[in-house]
Amino acid sequence: MLANLKELSEKLGLSQTTVSRALNGYPEVSETTRQRVIDAAREHNYAPDSSARRLATGKTRTIGHVVPISKHDMINPHFTDFIAGAGAVYNRRGYDMLISVVDADKETETYRAMKRNRRVDGVIVHGPVASDARPGLLHSLGLPFVVHGRTLQDDDSYSWVDVNNRRAFAEATRYLIGLGHRRIALVNGWEHMVFARRRREGYEEALREAGIAVDPLLMSSNEMIEPVGHEAMTAFLASDDPPTAVLVASALSALGVMGAVREHGLVPGTDISIISYDDKLSFLDIGPDGMGLTVIRSGIGEAGRHCADMLIDMIEGRRGIVHMLLEASLVPGTSTGPPAGVAVSGKSAAGR
Amino acid sequence: MLANLKELSEKLGLSQTTVSRALNGYPEVSETTRQRVIDAAREHNYAPDSSARRLATGKTRTIGHVVPISKHDMINPHFTDFIAGAGAVYNRRGYDMLISVVDADKETETYRAMKRNRRVDGVIVHGPVASDARPGLLHSLGLPFVVHGRTLQDDDSYSWVDVNNRRAFAEATRYLIGLGHRRIALVNGWEHMVFARRRREGYEEALREAGIAVDPLLMSSNEMIEPVGHEAMTAFLASDDPPTAVLVASALSALGVMGAVREHGLVPGTDISIISYDDKLSFLDIGPDGMGLTVIRSGIGEAGRHCADMLIDMIEGRRGIVHMLLEASLVPGTSTGPPAGVAVSGKSAAGR
DNA sequence: TTGTAAGCGTTATCAC
DNA sequence: GTGATAACGCTTACAA
């Protein structure tokens, strides 16, 4: 139970310098002494004081995450899985994770404070919006950062990890078109969020390729929670010319969409096709192994791991600006099939 | 853009001591100088280096949360809302939140390391199990802590914030009994978690009071996720003597239970009654304003706030061991009513 | 009311 | 290989 380096070195009859070097793996110390020091440290349960070490080195070995909390006290459910991924990396590489939950309008000030107090070595930026001020701010502060997602412009001036949302939604749309669908609805997230915007672009791109007109009546953009998905889908189904397929932007929204579909007495995969984006939330599996939906999947935990590794590499000077575009994969479930009318004729035609 | 106290004090023609005192609100400094110092600090964007301050004071002003991650990479979805609540308090009181995501079997070592490195002033313990080693460990380490929940024994030797789970489930059960139900099922969480155990006790207590036999065939204890709730409820409904009501331990389980009920063509509130525990998850509202269920509700964010306040009070020496038992409240929705048979006769009898 | 100087527990820079 | 010694940037007795 030794408090500090001084006492430990005295007990060993060595200087603090040598003990410190031995413990930190410096090469110039003899193997015998190193072993002696390590044993003594373990025996006396010694470990360096993190504050003292930080003061001496100037490195905090801490990564900050600012979590803005908006009016409805809503905190992004994806966040949990992201930090689970990032946290594992921090752990492995000897970094700490500092999370600051702040009012949405105080986010800027929080970054400034983190820099001023030298509280962290870098930060992860979550949920970029179309014209996001944070990259510029962090640049001017000189605080290393990695963005989870991308802004719309100047995204080559900083490091990011993003999913190819545009392609993911284009492919999902093509998949539905390939099945014979032409009335395809989109239940999207708020489009000031860049990922939502790109998803719509991908969706529209695929429609245009196929010569299908983009119908604003088949698109909704809103919060990604159950009741909202429910409401959007209910409205679509009540329209004059309802969709035969729908693309959903999140697992939570998909819950609501499924509810609406069921209430209308429709069977997913037969009467209507559903594809949802799936972040692989640990507590809610909407994919084939869970609720059975056809999904476009890209793990958010994986994104967290990449962000963490990239940021640490950057902080340690091993890497500069990097862009990582993860591809989502379409995983077929039971919620997709040919449109109701086409299905039978198409299949029987092929069968004969 | 002044780096440190020294430069700032030189620029002001004052000693570091005076500047430090002025900034930290010590009373012995004159109001004029204090104002001058504060203005200069703001002008030069000065704030003390957190590591240096921590080294000098011996206080880290940091609270640790250890998040064990188990085999399935499952991370408790409630966690997000808890830290949103706790984080707001940390923020307000000038504390930082350190989150350590570790393999479940490394939790003990993580607490030890936090103490050894003097990394935090205290920790919050999540998800206590029946015979939990953590309170004992933290006690012996001399690391202040507050438990969210309680262990089964020795829960007066440490501070905790818990919901009166026993009473909550007893009252919910009584409510159902009052409506005329006698076959009441329980879809519970894993019962090595103390809160789940207490919930079952409350449920059984109310049954016994009413002279209803506890039927093991009406109880399930498992992970609190959608598919598991679905499976449990499906099994209950398929039995010879199916329940007319069910008590569910979490919002996610309730999702599955609702699905099973619907698939059996039953209408909640009419054909079968459902009451679910509701942690007020920010992203999933199963209560009357959302999915409409009758719920037993106690906010998990509130629990987070209390834990944080209690721990800080304890660290700052303002408070000793405190126990806070929050009462959940039953919020009637549309998922409860008299049992199908009893309903009509009961009502009509009363009407005449 | 203000200042001097001694810590706090490390790591880093030189010597030897 | 090892050891003095000076930072690191702050707080806090103790003096004045």
Side-chain angles (χ1 to χ4, degrees):
Chain A
M1 287 304 164
L2 278 185
N4 55 29
L5 236 202
K6 192 173 167 208
E7 295 183 42
L8 181 61
S9 60
E10 280 166 359
K11 192 132 305 188
L12 279 162
L14 289 169
S15 72
Q16 297 187 32
T17 313
T18 305
V19 175
S20 174
R21 282 198 275 237
L23 257 23
N24 290 310
Y26 280 59
E28 63 256 63
V29 62
S30 84
E31 266 318 308
T32 19
T33 20
R34 184 191 307 284
Q35 210 36 257
R36 208 159 66 87
V37 169
I38 289 176
D39 290 347
R42 192 187 315 272
E43 180 194 348
H44 294 98
N45 194 35
Y46 168 81
D49 180 296
S50 52
S51 302
R53 164 179 279 184
R54 284 208 282 275
L55 180 57
T57 61
K59 308 283 169 208
T60 66
R61 294 192 77 87
T62 301
I63 308 292
H65 291 246
V66 178
V67 182
I69 198 156
S70 46
K71 49 226 165 277
H72 306 305
D73 254 18
M74 166 78 171
I75 181 169
N76 193 325
H78 302 134
F79 181 69
T80 324
D81 288 279
F82 184 91
I83 62 162
V89 172
Y90 295 152
N91 234 17
R92 179 162 49 74
R93 301 186 64 172
Y95 277 72
D96 286 330
M97 174 165 60
L98 190 75
I99 295 193
S100 195
V101 181
V102 301
D103 287 340
D105 59 332
K106 298 232 171 54
E107 193 171 352
T108 300
E109 178 46 29
T110 304
Y111 287 123
R112 290 210 144 87
M114 282 180 166
K115 173 65 179 183
R116 261 204 315 265
N117 306 312
R118 302 157 190 90
R119 191 68 188 82
V120 300
D121 290 339
V123 297
I124 302 278
V125 172
H126 298 277
V129 294
S131 65
D132 203 301
R134 292 171 293 177
L137 170 70
L138 293 169
H139 242 126
S140 76
L141 288 174
L143 195 56
F145 66 101
V146 168
V147 179
H148 178 214
R150 281 176 285 172
T151 50
L152 270 186
Q153 271 137 28
D154 301 324
D155 62 5
D156 50 348
S157 67
Y158 57 85
S159 287
W160 48 256
V161 173
D162 199 5
V163 171
N164 197 339
N165 283 294
R166 195 186 163 103
R167 179 183 293 175
F169 272 62
E171 296 211 335
T173 308
R174 285 188 200 108
Y175 183 81
L176 291 169
I177 292 172
L179 286 171
H181 295 276
R182 296 187 65 82
R183 294 287 292 164
I184 303 171
L186 174 68
V187 176
N188 206 0
W190 285 122
E191 291 189 11
H192 66 267
M193 299 300 289
V194 178
F195 71 86
R197 190 131 151 192
R198 290 213 153 85
R199 287 172 183 185
R200 175 164 58 73
E201 289 169 1
Y203 158 82
E204 292 184 353
E205 177 185 309
L207 289 182
R208 274 194 299 269
E209 279 172 11
I212 300 173
V214 172
D215 184 349
L217 291 177
L218 286 182
M219 307 190 324
S220 88
S221 166
N222 208 320
E223 208 170 354
M224 300 192 304
I225 53 178
E226 195 271 344
V228 168
H230 187 279
E231 188 180 6
M233 193 62 198
T234 300
F236 288 150
L237 291 175
S239 78
D240 290 341
D241 190 7
T244 62
V246 58
L247 223 51
V248 188
S250 91
L252 256 17
S253 308
L255 245 38
V257 167
M258 289 289 278
V261 163
R262 260 191 311 256
E263 284 167 19
H264 276 253
L266 303 176
V267 177
T270 306
D271 303 320
I272 189 160
S273 287
I274 303 173
I275 299 184
S276 176
Y277 192 84
D278 180 11
D279 287 297
K280 278 195 219 165
L281 296 178
S282 59
F283 55 87
L284 181 61
D285 182 2
I286 60 169
D289 292 339
M291 280 171 51
L293 294 186
T294 297
V295 295
I296 332 165
R297 177 176 282 173
S298 178
I300 201 161
E302 191 191 348
R305 284 193 290 276
H306 288 305
C307 284
D309 266 322
M310 278 170 52
L311 181 54
I312 293 175
D313 284 348
M314 180 180 278
I315 288 167
E316 297 182 349
R318 307 171 190 276
R319 245 200 298 189
I321 291 178
V322 181
H323 302 145
M324 181 175 283
L325 195 55
L326 305 171
E327 294 299 336
S329 51
L330 195 134
V331 188
T334 58
S335 65
T336 39
V342 180
V344 183
S345 62
K347 270 199 178 160
S348 48
R352 280 171 199 165
Chain B
M1 286 303 162
L2 278 185
N4 54 29
L5 235 203
K6 193 173 167 207
E7 295 182 44
L8 181 62
S9 60
E10 280 167 0
K11 193 134 304 187
L12 279 162
L14 288 168
S15 72
Q16 296 189 33
T17 312
T18 306
V19 176
S20 172
R21 283 198 275 236
L23 257 24
N24 290 311
Y26 280 57
E28 63 256 58
V29 62
S30 85
E31 266 318 309
T32 22
T33 22
R34 185 192 304 283
Q35 210 36 257
R36 208 158 69 86
V37 170
I38 288 176
D39 290 348
R42 193 187 315 271
E43 179 193 347
H44 293 98
N45 193 35
Y46 169 81
D49 180 295
S50 52
S51 302
R53 166 179 276 183
R54 284 209 282 275
L55 181 56
T57 60
K59 306 283 167 210
T60 66
R61 295 193 76 87
T62 300
I63 308 292
H65 291 246
V66 178
V67 182
I69 199 157
S70 46
K71 50 231 164 267
H72 306 305
D73 255 19
M74 167 76 170
I75 182 168
N76 195 325
H78 303 133
F79 181 68
T80 324
D81 288 278
F82 183 90
I83 63 163
V89 172
Y90 295 153
N91 235 19
R92 177 163 51 73
R93 301 186 63 171
Y95 277 72
D96 286 330
M97 173 165 60
L98 189 76
I99 295 194
S100 195
V101 181
V102 302
D103 288 339
D105 59 331
K106 299 231 171 54
E107 192 171 353
T108 300
E109 179 45 31
T110 305
Y111 286 123
R112 290 210 144 88
M114 283 180 165
K115 173 64 179 184
R116 261 204 315 264
N117 306 312
R118 302 153 191 93
R119 190 69 189 81
V120 300
D121 290 340
V123 298
I124 301 278
V125 172
H126 298 276
V129 294
S131 65
D132 203 301
R134 292 171 293 177
L137 170 70
L138 293 168
H139 243 126
S140 75
L141 287 174
L143 195 56
F145 67 100
V146 168
V147 178
H148 177 213
R150 280 175 287 172
T151 49
L152 270 185
Q153 271 137 28
D154 300 326
D155 61 5
D156 50 347
S157 67
Y158 57 85
S159 286
W160 47 257
V161 173
D162 198 4
V163 171
N164 197 340
N165 283 295
R166 194 186 163 105
R167 181 185 292 175
F169 273 61
E171 296 210 336
T173 307
R174 285 189 201 108
Y175 182 81
L176 290 170
I177 292 172
L179 285 170
H181 295 276
R182 297 188 64 83
R183 294 287 294 165
I184 303 171
L186 174 68
V187 177
N188 205 1
W190 284 123
E191 291 188 10
H192 65 270
M193 301 299 290
V194 179
F195 70 87
R197 190 132 150 191
R198 288 213 154 82
R199 287 172 182 185
R200 174 165 56 75
E201 289 169 1
Y203 158 82
E204 292 184 355
E205 176 185 308
L207 289 182
R208 273 193 300 269
E209 277 172 14
I212 300 173
V214 172
D215 184 351
L217 291 177
L218 287 183
M219 308 189 323
S220 89
S221 164
N222 209 322
E223 210 170 351
M224 301 193 303
I225 53 179
E226 194 273 344
V228 168
H230 187 279
E231 187 180 6
M233 193 61 198
T234 301
F236 288 149
L237 291 176
S239 77
D240 290 340
D241 190 6
T244 63
V246 58
L247 223 52
V248 189
S250 92
L252 255 17
S253 308
L255 244 40
V257 166
M258 289 290 277
V261 163
R262 261 191 311 255
E263 284 166 20
H264 276 252
L266 303 177
V267 177
T270 307
D271 303 320
I272 189 160
S273 285
I274 303 174
I275 298 183
S276 177
Y277 193 82
D278 179 11
D279 288 296
K280 279 196 219 161
L281 297 177
S282 58
F283 55 86
L284 181 61
D285 183 1
I286 60 170
D289 293 339
M291 282 170 50
L293 295 186
T294 297
V295 295
I296 332 165
R297 178 176 279 172
S298 176
I300 200 159
E302 190 192 348
R305 284 193 290 278
H306 287 305
C307 284
D309 266 322
M310 276 169 51
L311 181 55
I312 294 175
D313 284 348
M314 181 179 279
I315 289 167
E316 297 182 347
R318 306 170 190 276
R319 247 206 292 193
I321 291 178
V322 181
H323 303 145
M324 180 175 284
L325 195 54
L326 304 170
E327 293 299 335
S329 52
L330 196 135
V331 187
T334 57
S335 66
T336 39
V342 181
V344 182
S345 62
K347 272 199 178 163
S348 49
R352 279 170 199 163

